[in-house]
Structure formats: C-alpha cells, structure tokens
C-alpha cells in the first residue's frame, strides 16, 4: 500500500510503499477512505511531541473493514467504521468507571512476539505506527477497540472528521462540560475542534456562544456554525469584551488552540463559578493556572482529552446528528485532497486560514 511516512521530525512526509501485517486475533484491517489533517499530527511532524521514527501519522479516519481477526466481536467485514485514537482496554479502572478516554490502551498494542504492523516493502524495515492507527495510508491495521461501526448512509469523508475534531469538540460540550441549556460559552480558536465545539454548544442549547479567533474567515465560519458573537483575539482587551457582553463572564470557556495565551484568555473570560476547559496540545513544559482570586471565586480548570468521549456510543450519535441535519460537518471541511498533496495540506494548516483538509483516497 501507499503511505505518507515521516522519516525525521521537521522534514516533509514521503510517499512510500509499505507492507501491512495480517490481523491478529483482536485486530481489524481497514481500507482507508478518508483521513483529516489534524493539528496534533503537525505537532509530531514538527517535533514538538516526540515519537519513534520513521512512522506513519494520521488518526482522524474512516473506512471499510476488509478483514477481521479470529476473536473480533465489535465489527465485521464490510462495516463502515470511524477510527478513534482513544482505544480502550475495557478492563482497567478508567474503563469500568466510564472514563474510557483516559485508558492507556495497553492491551490494544501488538505484543513483542508479533510481527510489526507496518514494514517498508523495499527492505522489510519496521515503520512505526502512530497512536495505534497510522491513517495516512491506504490501509490501517488496528485493534477492534479503536474503531466503531457507523450507519452506511454516512459519507465517509464527513465521517472521518468525527474521529478526532468533532468528538473532541462535541464531547467537551456534552461530556466534560455537561452544558445546561441557557449557559454561556466562549470558544477560543476556531479550527476544526473549535468549530465542532461551537456547533455542539448550539445543539445543546447554549444561551450565548462567543467565538474568539484572530482570522476573519474563521470567525465567519463560527457564525455559520452557531456562534452568536465573535471576538478578534488580536484585540488586547478581548477578555474584557467577553466579560462585558456577558455581564460578568461565561459559564464555560473552552481553549481549542494549544497556546498559553489562548488558555489565559479562556480563564480571564470566566464568570464566578465558571469552568475553563483546555483542549489544545501545548508544548509539554507549558503550564495553565488559576490565581488565588480565581479560586476564591469558585472558578475551575480542567482538561478533556478527546472530549472525555465514550466513542463506541458517542460517535454513532454524532453520525445521527449529521444525518438529521443538526451537525454541520460540511462547513468544517475546507478541502478534499489526494494523499500526494499531504504536505501542501499541512502548509495550509500552518498558514491558519482554513478549517479542515481531508485526504480522500478513492478520488
């Protein structure tokens, strides 16, 4: 199969021919139909987050099951599926207490006694799998607990973005924030995750949804997806504007960029008793904090990895939201590109002027 391989951090991806192993007992072989370009992938490409090299990235994907292992029960051949990086073991404390997104998924990885999932066809050298998915490839070999079957009426290019951006943004609203209708929300950053957060806040009945982003095109998209107000984060008094327009601050402020300044804006936008939720992947040494007066005001700070999802339940519901016309995935997707244009897609991401680029493998 063809795959986009990262040979070394800071270098362009290279399209190579790779071989993929046969499914083990609990593994699923999937023909990839679409994969979104996520800012998390860019962190690994640029070396902000370490990973063994060479490797194949990509984690926001949808496809069709080609073959299943002998013990697979979750999906079957021919199923349309969405993958999710928060693979769960089903047995640990996090799983059995309903916090599946926190599971480290140790039991979903290949054992040392099994052959590697990916190898270079030319010389048989191992190519590392990223996040147990590696979706920048024509096929994926993953654990059955890293995918879920969906309604076959769902277009697979739209389904792909549910696997990360939408489940993170929407899950934050539904699961981590448990938004009550009428509460106010500020979303800092209007990329794929931020736009999904805004859309979900509208679905959940938020009273006011304030979108903050420095780019006018993204602010316009936010209005299209449900924002009631927009703020330019380049304004020095952006936090003050949010506090004034909400008469004291918002109930929920969600950071969807991964920058310390964005997190500080989220915290500064809170009302007494409000909660700031940090979604963006910041450099590992960075810190986000509440002041003593924030604590005395009952403000809270939390993370929500992958939207605190329970993806075998959440993803089919999000698909249903799209098919019913509630979830607008079409506006989130800026372009559809072939695998060969993947580096150009990441260049556009770095420029910051569009939402999601999605690789479509069968175009």
């Amino acid at each position: 199969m063809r795959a986009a391989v990262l040979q070394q951090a800071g270098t362009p991806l290279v399209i190579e021919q790779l071989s993929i192993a046969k499914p083990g007992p609990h593994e699923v072989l999937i023909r990839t139909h679409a994969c979104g370009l996520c800012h998390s992938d860019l962190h690994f490409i640029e070396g902000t987050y370490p990973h063994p090299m060479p490797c194949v990235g990509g984690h926001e994907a949808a496809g069709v099951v080609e073959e299943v292992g002998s013990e697979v029960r979750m999906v079957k051949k021919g199923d349309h599926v969405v993958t999710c990086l928060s693979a769960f073991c089903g047995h640990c404390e996090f799983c059995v207490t309903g916090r599946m997104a926190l599971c480290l998924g140790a039991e979903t990885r290949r054992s040392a006694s099994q052959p590697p999932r990916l190898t270079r066809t030319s010389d048989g050298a191992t190519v590392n799998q990223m996040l147990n998915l590696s979706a920048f490839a024509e096929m994926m070999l993953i654990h059955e607990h890293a995918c879920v079957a969906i309604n076959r009426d769902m277009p697979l290019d739209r389904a792909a973005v549910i696997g990360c951006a939408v489940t993170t943004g929407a899950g934050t609203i539904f699961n981590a924030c448990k938004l009550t209708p009428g509460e106010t929300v500020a979303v800092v950053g209007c990329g794929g995750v931020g736009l999904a957060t805004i859309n979900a806040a509208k679905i959940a009945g938020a009273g006011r949804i304030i979108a903050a982003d420095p780019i006018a095109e993204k602010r316009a998209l936010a209005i299209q997806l449900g924002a009631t107000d927009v703020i330019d984060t380049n304004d020095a008094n952006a936090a003050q504007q949010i506090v004034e327009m909400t008469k004291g601050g918002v109930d929920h402020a969600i950071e969807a960029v991964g920058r310390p300044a964005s997190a500080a804006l989220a915290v500064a936008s809170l009302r007494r008793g409000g909660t700031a939720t940090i979604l963006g992947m910041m450099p590992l040494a960075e810190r986000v904090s509440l002041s003593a007066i924030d604590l005395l005001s009952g403000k809270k700070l939390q993370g929500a990895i992958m939207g605190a999802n329970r993806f075998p339940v959440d993803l089919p519901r999000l698909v249903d939201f799209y098919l019913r016309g509630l979830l607008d995935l079409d506006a989130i997707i800026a372009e559809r590109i072939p695998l060969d244009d993947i580096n150009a897609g990441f260049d556009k991401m770095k420029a910051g002027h569009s939402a999601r680029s999605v690789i479509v493998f069968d175009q």
Side-chain angles (χ1 to χ4, degrees):
M1 66 173 184
R2 298 171 74 243
V5 180
L6 179 61
Q7 303 285 4
Q8 186 175 345
T11 63
L13 300 173
V14 179
I15 307 301
E16 293 193 50
Q17 290 285 338
L18 301 185
S19 298
I20 191 163
K22 288 286 187 180
H26 287 281
E27 291 179 330
V28 180
L29 183 65
I30 299 167
R31 181 164 297 280
T32 316
H33 278 244
C35 180
L37 303 191
C38 178
H39 212 279
S40 302
D41 297 309
L42 187 59
H43 288 313
F44 289 106
I45 292 170
E46 294 181 332
T48 307
Y49 281 68
H51 196 278
M53 301 290 171
C55 66
V56 176
H59 59 275
E60 187 179 81
V64 177
V65 175
E66 291 265 311
E67 189 178 345
V68 299
S70 59
E71 301 298 320
V72 170
R73 300 293 180 268
M74 299 279 288
V75 296
K76 63 184 183 301
K77 183 177 180 178
D79 278 350
H80 291 202
V81 295
V82 175
T83 63
C84 191
L85 65 87
S86 53
F88 60 96
C89 71
H91 307 292
C92 70
E93 178 184 353
F94 296 118
C95 286
V96 300
T97 55
R99 297 173 291 168
M100 297 164 63
L102 295 178
C103 175
L104 294 175
E107 295 181 29
T108 69
R109 302 187 182 104
R110 277 215 154 192
S111 68
S113 61
Q114 291 178 288
R117 285 176 172 145
L118 303 175
T119 54
R120 188 179 287 115
T121 304
S122 60
D123 59 9
T126 297
V127 176
N128 293 286
Q129 192 178 42
M130 185 178 288
L131 301 173
N132 292 310
L133 293 176
S134 290
F136 293 154
E138 292 172 334
M139 302 193 79
M140 292 177 283
L141 179 60
I142 66 175
H143 194 277
E144 63 174 320
H145 287 176
C147 64
V148 60
I150 60 169
N151 189 324
R152 294 192 185 196
D153 292 334
M154 181 69 182
L156 288 172
D157 58 340
R158 271 78 106 198
V161 298
I162 293 178
C164 180
V166 177
T167 196
T168 298
T172 295
I173 292 293
F174 301 141
N175 301 329
C177 295
K178 295 182 171 61
L179 187 140
T180 299
E183 288 185 325
T184 50
V185 178
V187 178
V188 183
C190 297
V193 173
L195 292 172
T197 306
I198 289 164
N199 198 171
K202 177 184 177 182
I203 294 170
R208 198 163 190 174
I209 305 168
I210 303 164
D213 197 280
I215 298 172
E217 298 98 313
K218 289 188 175 181
R219 296 197 297 270
L221 269 176
I223 291 290
Q224 182 180 337
L225 285 162
T228 58
D229 307 271
V230 293
I231 295 289
D232 185 346
T233 53
N234 285 329
D235 290 346
N237 63 345
Q240 182 181 346
Q241 292 180 49
I242 295 172
V243 170
E244 288 177 354
M245 70 171 57
T246 54
K247 296 180 173 57
V250 295
D251 297 293
H252 300 280
I254 297 160
E255 195 278 344
V257 182
R259 295 176 182 162
S262 301
L265 175 57
V267 170
S269 302
L270 293 176
R271 68 182 302 166
R272 291 171 63 85
T275 301
T277 306
I278 310 301
L279 300 182
M281 290 175 65
M282 298 185 192
L284 294 172
E286 293 290 348
R287 297 183 183 276
V288 182
S289 63
L290 295 175
S291 68
I293 191 65
D294 289 333
L295 295 171
L296 288 170
S297 300
K299 297 177 184 179
K300 296 175 283 294
L301 179 65
Q302 66 176 359
I305 183 171
M306 291 295 294
N309 74 79
R310 305 146 305 171
F311 82 83
V313 174
D314 292 350
L315 266 64
R317 289 178 178 175
L318 293 170
V319 166
D320 182 60
F321 282 164
Y322 174 81
L323 293 175
R324 290 164 54 198
L326 297 173
L327 189 64
D328 186 355
L329 302 178
D330 302 272
I332 292 175
I333 299 174
E335 63 173 0
R336 294 163 179 81
I337 61 175
L339 181 65
D340 293 292
D341 290 348
I342 188 170
N343 290 309
F346 279 114
D347 288 340
K348 289 182 180 179
M349 178 187 293
K350 287 184 276 190
H353 288 277
S354 63
R356 225 40 165 200
S357 297
V358 175
I359 297 168
V360 178
F361 287 86
D362 56 354
Q363 63 180 6

